[in-house]
Amino acid sequence: MKLLRRIANLGYGSRREVQAMFREGRVTDADGDVLYADDVVDPARVRIDGEALDPPPGLVLMFNKPVGTTCSTRDAGRLVFDLLPPRWRRRDPPLSTVGRLDRDTSGLLLLTDDGALLHRIISPRQHVPKVYEATLASDLRGDEGALFASGTLMLESEATPLAPAFLEVLDPRRARLTVTEGRYHQVRRMFAAAGNHVVSLHRARIGALALDGLGEGEWRVLGEDDVARVFAADAVAGPVSPL
Ligand code: URA
């Protein structure tokens, strides 16, 4: 791929704007020699204003989503994308969130421009466990673990029961829930079906991948090892596959 198109696709600007960057001598190689739009160069050696190029397509990020941000590109309010480098919103292929977290949910969110990987992570058939920590309005009754593990719980206006999920009670009003699906408002609706109300919700893990000290609103580019942890077979905190 020509350098001009590669740089435009990374969101640095339109083709016309990137052309201007070449003319201004802002695109160089690692030794500082000015590059031209039709040069064929290893992208790893390209610099713009002295900085290495953004990661190529195949980008996977983990992000610690704060409460109050939306997993959308167009919502009127504060977006997850507002907390990432602005040009990442103009990448082609586009960067998308891997599933969604509600506006009022915080925690681990993945983003990628790799459509096949995205579908592999969100597909219920892959049984990737997602671990949520919920704070509840009322004390747990004690029967929620059995209800969520049953594989028979039907949420309102759904056609099929939920797959078994695993509940750990942390204290009377706090619980950790591991689910392998990503239905709409799933965790909030599960606790509502058990007569409770989720006051706050945080996603702590996807597979064996955890935030590991990543601060709220911070992001990190993932390597192959991190992505492999999403699919790690021993990621599950308890029995979530059909019994
Ligand atoms: N379940 C919910 O209810 N909300 C989320 O954001 C994620 C899972």
Side-chain angles (χ1 to χ4, degrees):
M1 188 189 293
K2 289 267 169 60
L3 204 44
L4 178 99
R5 189 164 149 218
R6 187 183 297 277
I7 293 173
N9 286 356
L10 289 175
Y12 284 86
S14 64
R15 283 174 179 241
R16 184 190 289 255
E17 286 163 342
V18 174
Q19 188 80 60
M21 291 164 75
F22 276 102
R23 276 200 300 273
E24 289 158 9
R26 294 170 59 194
V27 186
T28 63
D29 68 11
D31 302 321
D33 292 331
V34 169
L35 292 171
Y36 293 87
D38 55 359
D39 282 341
V40 178
V41 195
D42 174 1
R45 287 189 49 78
V46 176
R47 304 287 179 268
I48 296 185
D49 298 329
E51 302 281 335
L53 282 186
D54 285 344
L59 177 62
V60 189
L61 299 177
M62 66 189 262
F63 177 69
N64 186 351
K65 178 191 175 298
V67 165
T69 53
T70 309
C71 296
S72 149
T73 46
R74 273 187 286 275
D75 201 79
R78 201 169 177 226
L79 309 179
V80 159
F81 286 94
D82 293 337
L83 297 172
L84 299 173
R87 65 174 169 264
W88 287 10
R89 217 186 296 193
R90 299 190 295 264
R91 285 173 65 106
D92 180 16
L95 194 58
S96 307
T97 64
V98 177
R100 286 174 175 231
L101 289 178
D102 301 336
R103 191 172 182 279
D104 293 332
T105 303
S106 61
L108 177 56
L109 179 71
L110 297 177
L111 296 101
T112 186
D113 58 13
D114 180 339
L117 175 68
L118 187 152
H119 288 293
R120 214 176 133 217
I121 297 171
I122 63 174
S123 164
R125 278 195 296 271
Q126 291 287 334
H127 297 287
V128 172
K130 277 123 338 215
V131 180
Y132 293 89
E133 288 163 4
T135 304
L136 302 159
S138 312
D139 285 2
L140 288 154
R141 298 185 304 219
D143 62 349
E144 296 86 349
L147 178 67
F148 295 164
S150 67
T152 60
L153 177 60
M154 288 286 284
L155 294 178
E156 225 176 282
S157 48
E158 299 258 342
T160 53
L162 291 176
F166 177 65
L167 184 79
E168 290 166 86
V169 176
L170 304 175
D171 70 42
R173 293 200 183 183
R174 270 191 341 116
R176 189 177 291 132
L177 180 62
T178 303
V179 302
T180 56
E181 300 169 287
R183 301 201 201 183
Y184 180 66
H185 292 330
Q186 180 171 339
V187 175
R188 294 175 200 274
R189 290 164 75 210
M190 286 173 75
F191 281 106
N196 214 320
H197 175 75
V198 172
V199 176
S200 74
L201 189 60
H202 176 82
R203 182 156 66 190
R205 252 187 332 113
I206 300 176
L209 188 72
L211 284 166
D212 273 339
L214 192 72
E216 206 175 83
E218 292 180 352
W219 50 269
R220 177 164 83 74
V221 175
L222 298 188
E224 276 178 25
D225 289 358
D226 299 304
V227 174
R229 294 176 67 199
V230 170
F231 299 103
D234 59 351
V236 190
V240 292
S241 52
L243 300 170

PDB file of all heavy atoms in Angstrom, residues 65 100-106 132 179 181-190 198 201 203, ligand 1:
ATOM      1  N   LYS A  65     -13.203   2.011  31.188  1.00  0.00           N
ATOM      2  CA  LYS A  65     -14.306   2.944  30.903  1.00  0.00           C
ATOM      3  C   LYS A  65     -14.837   3.581  32.179  1.00  0.00           C
ATOM      4  O   LYS A  65     -15.247   2.880  33.107  1.00  0.00           O
ATOM      5  CB  LYS A  65     -15.438   2.178  30.204  1.00  0.00           C
ATOM      6  CG  LYS A  65     -16.655   3.029  29.906  1.00  0.00           C
ATOM      7  CD  LYS A  65     -17.823   2.161  29.477  1.00  0.00           C
ATOM      8  CE  LYS A  65     -19.095   2.944  29.285  1.00  0.00           C
ATOM      9  NZ  LYS A  65     -19.559   3.604  30.526  1.00  0.00           N
ATOM     10  N   ARG A 100     -20.789  -3.737  24.198  1.00  0.00           N
ATOM     11  CA  ARG A 100     -21.016  -2.439  24.841  1.00  0.00           C
ATOM     12  C   ARG A 100     -21.098  -2.584  26.335  1.00  0.00           C
ATOM     13  O   ARG A 100     -21.498  -3.638  26.836  1.00  0.00           O
ATOM     14  CB  ARG A 100     -22.338  -1.847  24.366  1.00  0.00           C
ATOM     15  CG  ARG A 100     -22.261  -1.330  22.951  1.00  0.00           C
ATOM     16  CD  ARG A 100     -23.615  -0.897  22.459  1.00  0.00           C
ATOM     17  NE  ARG A 100     -23.461  -0.296  21.140  1.00  0.00           N
ATOM     18  CZ  ARG A 100     -23.945   0.873  20.785  1.00  0.00           C
ATOM     19  NH1 ARG A 100     -24.647   1.578  21.645  1.00  0.00           N
ATOM     20  NH2 ARG A 100     -23.739   1.355  19.586  1.00  0.00           N
ATOM     21  N   LEU A 101     -20.720  -1.531  27.010  1.00  0.00           N
ATOM     22  CA  LEU A 101     -21.057  -1.401  28.430  1.00  0.00           C
ATOM     23  C   LEU A 101     -22.046  -0.246  28.522  1.00  0.00           C
ATOM     24  O   LEU A 101     -21.917   0.741  27.775  1.00  0.00           O
ATOM     25  CB  LEU A 101     -19.806  -1.082  29.268  1.00  0.00           C
ATOM     26  CG  LEU A 101     -18.785  -2.202  29.450  1.00  0.00           C
ATOM     27  CD1 LEU A 101     -17.582  -1.705  30.265  1.00  0.00           C
ATOM     28  CD2 LEU A 101     -19.406  -3.413  30.144  1.00  0.00           C
ATOM     29  N   ASP A 102     -23.012  -0.340  29.434  1.00  0.00           N
ATOM     30  CA  ASP A 102     -23.972   0.747  29.615  1.00  0.00           C
ATOM     31  C   ASP A 102     -23.237   2.031  30.006  1.00  0.00           C
ATOM     32  O   ASP A 102     -22.138   1.981  30.576  1.00  0.00           O
ATOM     33  CB  ASP A 102     -24.953   0.441  30.753  1.00  0.00           C
ATOM     34  CG  ASP A 102     -25.734  -0.832  30.516  1.00  0.00           C
ATOM     35  OD1 ASP A 102     -25.875  -1.232  29.353  1.00  0.00           O
ATOM     36  OD2 ASP A 102     -26.191  -1.416  31.520  1.00  0.00           O
ATOM     37  N   ARG A 103     -23.895   3.139  29.778  1.00  0.00           N
ATOM     38  CA  ARG A 103     -23.341   4.448  30.179  1.00  0.00           C
ATOM     39  C   ARG A 103     -22.947   4.437  31.660  1.00  0.00           C
ATOM     40  O   ARG A 103     -21.909   4.984  32.042  1.00  0.00           O
ATOM     41  CB  ARG A 103     -24.433   5.501  29.913  1.00  0.00           C
ATOM     42  CG  ARG A 103     -24.001   6.907  30.017  1.00  0.00           C
ATOM     43  CD  ARG A 103     -25.129   7.813  29.540  1.00  0.00           C
ATOM     44  NE  ARG A 103     -24.717   9.187  29.595  1.00  0.00           N
ATOM     45  CZ  ARG A 103     -24.728   9.918  30.703  1.00  0.00           C
ATOM     46  NH1 ARG A 103     -25.153   9.407  31.836  1.00  0.00           N
ATOM     47  NH2 ARG A 103     -24.299  11.164  30.672  1.00  0.00           N
ATOM     48  N   ASP A 104     -23.760   3.790  32.494  1.00  0.00           N
ATOM     49  CA  ASP A 104     -23.510   3.804  33.938  1.00  0.00           C
ATOM     50  C   ASP A 104     -22.637   2.650  34.418  1.00  0.00           C
ATOM     51  O   ASP A 104     -22.518   2.429  35.624  1.00  0.00           O
ATOM     52  CB  ASP A 104     -24.851   3.758  34.694  1.00  0.00           C
ATOM     53  CG  ASP A 104     -25.627   5.040  34.456  1.00  0.00           C
ATOM     54  OD1 ASP A 104     -24.991   6.071  34.215  1.00  0.00           O
ATOM     55  OD2 ASP A 104     -26.874   4.981  34.494  1.00  0.00           O
ATOM     56  N   THR A 105     -22.087   1.870  33.504  1.00  0.00           N
ATOM     57  CA  THR A 105     -21.189   0.766  33.881  1.00  0.00           C
ATOM     58  C   THR A 105     -19.755   1.206  33.637  1.00  0.00           C
ATOM     59  O   THR A 105     -19.456   1.846  32.623  1.00  0.00           O
ATOM     60  CB  THR A 105     -21.507  -0.491  33.044  1.00  0.00           C
ATOM     61  OG1 THR A 105     -22.877  -0.836  33.222  1.00  0.00           O
ATOM     62  CG2 THR A 105     -20.627  -1.663  33.456  1.00  0.00           C
ATOM     63  N   SER A 106     -18.878   0.855  34.571  1.00  0.00           N
ATOM     64  CA  SER A 106     -17.449   1.187  34.412  1.00  0.00           C
ATOM     65  C   SER A 106     -16.668  -0.102  34.124  1.00  0.00           C
ATOM     66  O   SER A 106     -17.201  -1.198  34.196  1.00  0.00           O
ATOM     67  CB  SER A 106     -16.928   1.847  35.689  1.00  0.00           C
ATOM     68  OG  SER A 106     -17.064   0.944  36.774  1.00  0.00           O
ATOM     69  N   TYR A 132     -18.311  -9.394  36.297  1.00  0.00           N
ATOM     70  CA  TYR A 132     -18.851  -8.096  36.732  1.00  0.00           C
ATOM     71  C   TYR A 132     -18.915  -8.041  38.247  1.00  0.00           C
ATOM     72  O   TYR A 132     -19.230  -9.043  38.896  1.00  0.00           O
ATOM     73  CB  TYR A 132     -20.272  -7.907  36.191  1.00  0.00           C
ATOM     74  CG  TYR A 132     -20.329  -7.777  34.690  1.00  0.00           C
ATOM     75  CD1 TYR A 132     -20.459  -8.899  33.886  1.00  0.00           C
ATOM     76  CD2 TYR A 132     -20.239  -6.528  34.081  1.00  0.00           C
ATOM     77  CE1 TYR A 132     -20.511  -8.786  32.496  1.00  0.00           C
ATOM     78  CE2 TYR A 132     -20.286  -6.406  32.703  1.00  0.00           C
ATOM     79  CZ  TYR A 132     -20.422  -7.538  31.914  1.00  0.00           C
ATOM     80  OH  TYR A 132     -20.465  -7.413  30.548  1.00  0.00           O
ATOM     81  N   VAL A 179     -20.621 -14.151  33.509  1.00  0.00           N
ATOM     82  CA  VAL A 179     -21.578 -14.548  32.466  1.00  0.00           C
ATOM     83  C   VAL A 179     -20.806 -14.809  31.171  1.00  0.00           C
ATOM     84  O   VAL A 179     -19.704 -14.293  30.985  1.00  0.00           O
ATOM     85  CB  VAL A 179     -22.649 -13.452  32.227  1.00  0.00           C
ATOM     86  CG1 VAL A 179     -23.410 -13.152  33.505  1.00  0.00           C
ATOM     87  CG2 VAL A 179     -22.034 -12.176  31.676  1.00  0.00           C
ATOM     88  N   GLU A 181     -22.559 -14.602  28.121  1.00  0.00           N
ATOM     89  CA  GLU A 181     -23.315 -13.973  27.028  1.00  0.00           C
ATOM     90  C   GLU A 181     -23.196 -12.454  27.177  1.00  0.00           C
ATOM     91  O   GLU A 181     -22.587 -11.970  28.124  1.00  0.00           O
ATOM     92  CB  GLU A 181     -24.789 -14.365  27.109  1.00  0.00           C
ATOM     93  CG  GLU A 181     -25.006 -15.866  27.014  1.00  0.00           C
ATOM     94  CD  GLU A 181     -26.437 -16.221  27.370  1.00  0.00           C
ATOM     95  OE1 GLU A 181     -26.797 -16.155  28.553  1.00  0.00           O
ATOM     96  OE2 GLU A 181     -27.179 -16.571  26.449  1.00  0.00           O
ATOM     97  N   GLY A 182     -23.802 -11.729  26.250  1.00  0.00           N
ATOM     98  CA  GLY A 182     -23.765 -10.267  26.339  1.00  0.00           C
ATOM     99  C   GLY A 182     -25.104  -9.700  25.941  1.00  0.00           C
ATOM    100  O   GLY A 182     -25.196  -8.866  25.051  1.00  0.00           O
ATOM    101  N   ARG A 183     -26.156 -10.182  26.629  1.00  0.00           N
ATOM    102  CA  ARG A 183     -27.483  -9.681  26.261  1.00  0.00           C
ATOM    103  C   ARG A 183     -27.688  -8.261  26.807  1.00  0.00           C
ATOM    104  O   ARG A 183     -27.021  -7.864  27.763  1.00  0.00           O
ATOM    105  CB  ARG A 183     -28.560 -10.613  26.802  1.00  0.00           C
ATOM    106  CG  ARG A 183     -28.381 -12.017  26.251  1.00  0.00           C
ATOM    107  CD  ARG A 183     -29.641 -12.781  26.332  1.00  0.00           C
ATOM    108  NE  ARG A 183     -29.392 -14.210  26.273  1.00  0.00           N
ATOM    109  CZ  ARG A 183     -30.346 -15.118  26.262  1.00  0.00           C
ATOM    110  NH1 ARG A 183     -31.611 -14.742  26.325  1.00  0.00           N
ATOM    111  NH2 ARG A 183     -30.052 -16.396  26.215  1.00  0.00           N
ATOM    112  N   TYR A 184     -28.650  -7.581  26.227  1.00  0.00           N
ATOM    113  CA  TYR A 184     -28.914  -6.179  26.542  1.00  0.00           C
ATOM    114  C   TYR A 184     -29.138  -6.002  28.048  1.00  0.00           C
ATOM    115  O   TYR A 184     -30.017  -6.670  28.616  1.00  0.00           O
ATOM    116  CB  TYR A 184     -30.141  -5.742  25.731  1.00  0.00           C
ATOM    117  CG  TYR A 184     -30.550  -4.316  25.938  1.00  0.00           C
ATOM    118  CD1 TYR A 184     -29.715  -3.276  25.523  1.00  0.00           C
ATOM    119  CD2 TYR A 184     -31.762  -4.014  26.524  1.00  0.00           C
ATOM    120  CE1 TYR A 184     -30.102  -1.962  25.704  1.00  0.00           C
ATOM    121  CE2 TYR A 184     -32.157  -2.701  26.698  1.00  0.00           C
ATOM    122  CZ  TYR A 184     -31.316  -1.683  26.291  1.00  0.00           C
ATOM    123  OH  TYR A 184     -31.703  -0.388  26.473  1.00  0.00           O
ATOM    124  N   HIS A 185     -28.369  -5.123  28.689  1.00  0.00           N
ATOM    125  CA  HIS A 185     -28.490  -4.847  30.131  1.00  0.00           C
ATOM    126  C   HIS A 185     -28.531  -6.139  30.960  1.00  0.00           C
ATOM    127  O   HIS A 185     -29.239  -6.217  31.968  1.00  0.00           O
ATOM    128  CB  HIS A 185     -29.770  -4.059  30.435  1.00  0.00           C
ATOM    129  CG  HIS A 185     -29.774  -2.648  29.898  1.00  0.00           C
ATOM    130  ND1 HIS A 185     -28.636  -1.886  29.742  1.00  0.00           N
ATOM    131  CD2 HIS A 185     -30.796  -1.855  29.487  1.00  0.00           C
ATOM    132  CE1 HIS A 185     -28.967  -0.700  29.255  1.00  0.00           C
ATOM    133  NE2 HIS A 185     -30.259  -0.661  29.085  1.00  0.00           N
ATOM    134  N   GLN A 186     -27.777  -7.133  30.521  1.00  0.00           N
ATOM    135  CA  GLN A 186     -27.972  -8.480  31.078  1.00  0.00           C
ATOM    136  C   GLN A 186     -27.845  -8.558  32.602  1.00  0.00           C
ATOM    137  O   GLN A 186     -28.705  -9.128  33.281  1.00  0.00           O
ATOM    138  CB  GLN A 186     -26.989  -9.465  30.432  1.00  0.00           C
ATOM    139  CG  GLN A 186     -27.152 -10.880  30.990  1.00  0.00           C
ATOM    140  CD  GLN A 186     -26.376 -11.913  30.236  1.00  0.00           C
ATOM    141  OE1 GLN A 186     -26.006 -11.696  29.080  1.00  0.00           O
ATOM    142  NE2 GLN A 186     -26.099 -13.040  30.871  1.00  0.00           N
ATOM    143  N   VAL A 187     -26.763  -8.000  33.141  1.00  0.00           N
ATOM    144  CA  VAL A 187     -26.514  -8.173  34.579  1.00  0.00           C
ATOM    145  C   VAL A 187     -27.585  -7.432  35.388  1.00  0.00           C
ATOM    146  O   VAL A 187     -28.136  -7.965  36.355  1.00  0.00           O
ATOM    147  CB  VAL A 187     -25.091  -7.691  34.931  1.00  0.00           C
ATOM    148  CG1 VAL A 187     -24.869  -7.744  36.433  1.00  0.00           C
ATOM    149  CG2 VAL A 187     -24.053  -8.539  34.196  1.00  0.00           C
ATOM    150  N   ARG A 188     -27.898  -6.212  34.951  1.00  0.00           N
ATOM    151  CA  ARG A 188     -28.941  -5.449  35.671  1.00  0.00           C
ATOM    152  C   ARG A 188     -30.276  -6.194  35.629  1.00  0.00           C
ATOM    153  O   ARG A 188     -31.004  -6.258  36.620  1.00  0.00           O
ATOM    154  CB  ARG A 188     -29.102  -4.052  35.047  1.00  0.00           C
ATOM    155  CG  ARG A 188     -27.856  -3.181  35.241  1.00  0.00           C
ATOM    156  CD  ARG A 188     -27.994  -1.837  34.506  1.00  0.00           C
ATOM    157  NE  ARG A 188     -26.686  -1.250  34.309  1.00  0.00           N
ATOM    158  CZ  ARG A 188     -26.049  -0.489  35.203  1.00  0.00           C
ATOM    159  NH1 ARG A 188     -26.607  -0.210  36.355  1.00  0.00           N
ATOM    160  NH2 ARG A 188     -24.841  -0.008  34.939  1.00  0.00           N
ATOM    161  N   ARG A 189     -30.590  -6.769  34.462  1.00  0.00           N
ATOM    162  CA  ARG A 189     -31.872  -7.478  34.330  1.00  0.00           C
ATOM    163  C   ARG A 189     -31.869  -8.783  35.124  1.00  0.00           C
ATOM    164  O   ARG A 189     -32.905  -9.211  35.635  1.00  0.00           O
ATOM    165  CB  ARG A 189     -32.180  -7.722  32.857  1.00  0.00           C
ATOM    166  CG  ARG A 189     -32.528  -6.421  32.133  1.00  0.00           C
ATOM    167  CD  ARG A 189     -32.442  -6.584  30.639  1.00  0.00           C
ATOM    168  NE  ARG A 189     -33.543  -7.320  30.085  1.00  0.00           N
ATOM    169  CZ  ARG A 189     -33.450  -8.081  28.985  1.00  0.00           C
ATOM    170  NH1 ARG A 189     -32.280  -8.213  28.367  1.00  0.00           N
ATOM    171  NH2 ARG A 189     -34.502  -8.701  28.522  1.00  0.00           N
ATOM    172  N   MET A 190     -30.715  -9.416  35.245  1.00  0.00           N
ATOM    173  CA  MET A 190     -30.655 -10.660  36.038  1.00  0.00           C
ATOM    174  C   MET A 190     -30.964 -10.358  37.505  1.00  0.00           C
ATOM    175  O   MET A 190     -31.762 -11.042  38.142  1.00  0.00           O
ATOM    176  CB  MET A 190     -29.270 -11.312  35.906  1.00  0.00           C
ATOM    177  CG  MET A 190     -29.055 -11.986  34.553  1.00  0.00           C
ATOM    178  SD  MET A 190     -27.366 -12.565  34.313  1.00  0.00           S
ATOM    179  CE  MET A 190     -27.342 -14.022  35.356  1.00  0.00           C
ATOM    180  N   VAL A 198     -29.469  -3.116  40.709  1.00  0.00           N
ATOM    181  CA  VAL A 198     -28.023  -2.841  40.674  1.00  0.00           C
ATOM    182  C   VAL A 198     -27.805  -1.337  40.827  1.00  0.00           C
ATOM    183  O   VAL A 198     -28.301  -0.541  40.034  1.00  0.00           O
ATOM    184  CB  VAL A 198     -27.405  -3.353  39.351  1.00  0.00           C
ATOM    185  CG1 VAL A 198     -25.958  -2.887  39.217  1.00  0.00           C
ATOM    186  CG2 VAL A 198     -27.485  -4.872  39.275  1.00  0.00           C
ATOM    187  N   LEU A 201     -22.182  -0.906  38.696  1.00  0.00           N
ATOM    188  CA  LEU A 201     -21.710  -2.107  37.998  1.00  0.00           C
ATOM    189  C   LEU A 201     -20.354  -1.819  37.369  1.00  0.00           C
ATOM    190  O   LEU A 201     -20.161  -0.765  36.741  1.00  0.00           O
ATOM    191  CB  LEU A 201     -22.741  -2.487  36.925  1.00  0.00           C
ATOM    192  CG  LEU A 201     -22.548  -3.825  36.220  1.00  0.00           C
ATOM    193  CD1 LEU A 201     -22.599  -4.979  37.231  1.00  0.00           C
ATOM    194  CD2 LEU A 201     -23.639  -4.028  35.163  1.00  0.00           C
ATOM    195  N   ARG A 203     -17.100  -3.883  35.199  1.00  0.00           N
ATOM    196  CA  ARG A 203     -16.574  -5.118  34.601  1.00  0.00           C
ATOM    197  C   ARG A 203     -15.090  -5.235  34.941  1.00  0.00           C
ATOM    198  O   ARG A 203     -14.297  -4.353  34.594  1.00  0.00           O
ATOM    199  CB  ARG A 203     -16.784  -5.155  33.089  1.00  0.00           C
ATOM    200  CG  ARG A 203     -16.272  -6.484  32.517  1.00  0.00           C
ATOM    201  CD  ARG A 203     -16.935  -6.847  31.220  1.00  0.00           C
ATOM    202  NE  ARG A 203     -16.601  -5.926  30.144  1.00  0.00           N
ATOM    203  CZ  ARG A 203     -17.204  -5.919  28.970  1.00  0.00           C
ATOM    204  NH1 ARG A 203     -18.181  -6.769  28.721  1.00  0.00           N
ATOM    205  NH2 ARG A 203     -16.846  -5.056  28.037  1.00  0.00           N
TER     206      ARG A 203
HETATM  207  N1  URA B   1     -24.820  -6.012  31.929  1.00  0.00           N
HETATM  208  C1  URA B   1     -25.453  -4.838  32.169  1.00  0.00           C
HETATM  209  O1  URA B   1     -26.550  -4.815  32.704  1.00  0.00           O
HETATM  210  N2  URA B   1     -24.812  -3.700  31.822  1.00  0.00           N
HETATM  211  C2  URA B   1     -23.593  -3.672  31.264  1.00  0.00           C
HETATM  212  O2  URA B   1     -23.075  -2.597  30.969  1.00  0.00           O
HETATM  213  C3  URA B   1     -22.961  -4.902  31.012  1.00  0.00           C
HETATM  214  C4  URA B   1     -23.599  -6.069  31.364  1.00  0.00           C
END
